[in-house]
């Protein structure tokens, strides 16, 4: 009898990127609120947000490529994709609050 072992997808960078961008964007958002909506904070926050969008998009393309090519690891990769996508509604909420 054959035993089917499920391989795990050992990439940690995508979760670290998602958590790191979440922590930094949350810090900048709180700093913006505490500073009475100072435009000086936005000078730092907007370039960070633009670079975070680019980096997260690159990581998403990488994960989608791995999802397509590594059939045996799809469950693990799908979880990492969902973690990466979880930043979108949070960032949108921050954007709505800042723009009001």
């Amino acid at each position: 009898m054959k035993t089917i072992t499920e391989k795990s997808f050992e990439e940690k960078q995508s979760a670290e990127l998602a958590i790191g961008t979440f922590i930094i964007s949350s810090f900048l958002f709180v700093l913006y609120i505490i500073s009475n909506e100072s435009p000086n904070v936005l000078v730092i926050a907007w370039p960070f947000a633009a670079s975070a969008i680019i980096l997260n998009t690159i990581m998403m393309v990488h994960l989608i490529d791995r999802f397509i090519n590594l059939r045996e690891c799809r469950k693990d990769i799908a979880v990492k994709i969902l973690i990466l996508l979880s930043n979108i509604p949070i960032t949108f909420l921050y954007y709505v609050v800042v723009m009001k």
Side-chain angles (χ1 to χ4, degrees):
M1 252 169 62
K2 284 186 177 180
T3 304
I4 299 174
T5 58
E6 196 173 309
K7 294 181 182 178
S8 64
F9 188 66
E10 295 294 327
E11 183 177 81
K12 296 179 184 176
Q13 293 86 1
S14 61
E16 291 171 355
L17 177 66
I19 293 168
T21 55
F22 169 73
I23 290 171
I24 294 171
S25 63
S26 296
F27 172 75
L28 290 171
F29 177 70
V30 169
L31 186 64
Y32 178 75
I33 298 299
I34 290 173
S35 69
N36 293 325
E37 300 177 0
S38 171
N40 294 332
V41 177
L42 294 179
V43 171
I44 298 168
W46 285 117
F48 169 76
S51 63
I53 289 170
I54 292 168
L55 287 173
N56 283 311
T57 302
I58 291 169
M59 183 59 74
M60 180 62 66
V61 169
H62 170 71
L63 287 174
I64 290 171
D65 178 56
R66 300 284 81 198
F67 185 82
I68 292 169
N69 293 326
L70 299 177
R71 293 181 174 266
E72 64 276 356
C73 300
R74 283 191 174 171
K75 185 177 180 182
D76 293 334
I77 298 170
V79 169
K80 293 186 185 304
I81 289 172
L82 289 174
I83 291 171
L84 198 61
L85 288 176
S86 67
N87 276 337
I88 293 173
I90 296 165
T91 305
F92 183 72
L93 175 69
Y94 292 168
Y95 176 78
V96 168
V97 171
V98 168
M99 287 299 134
K100 284 191 176 184

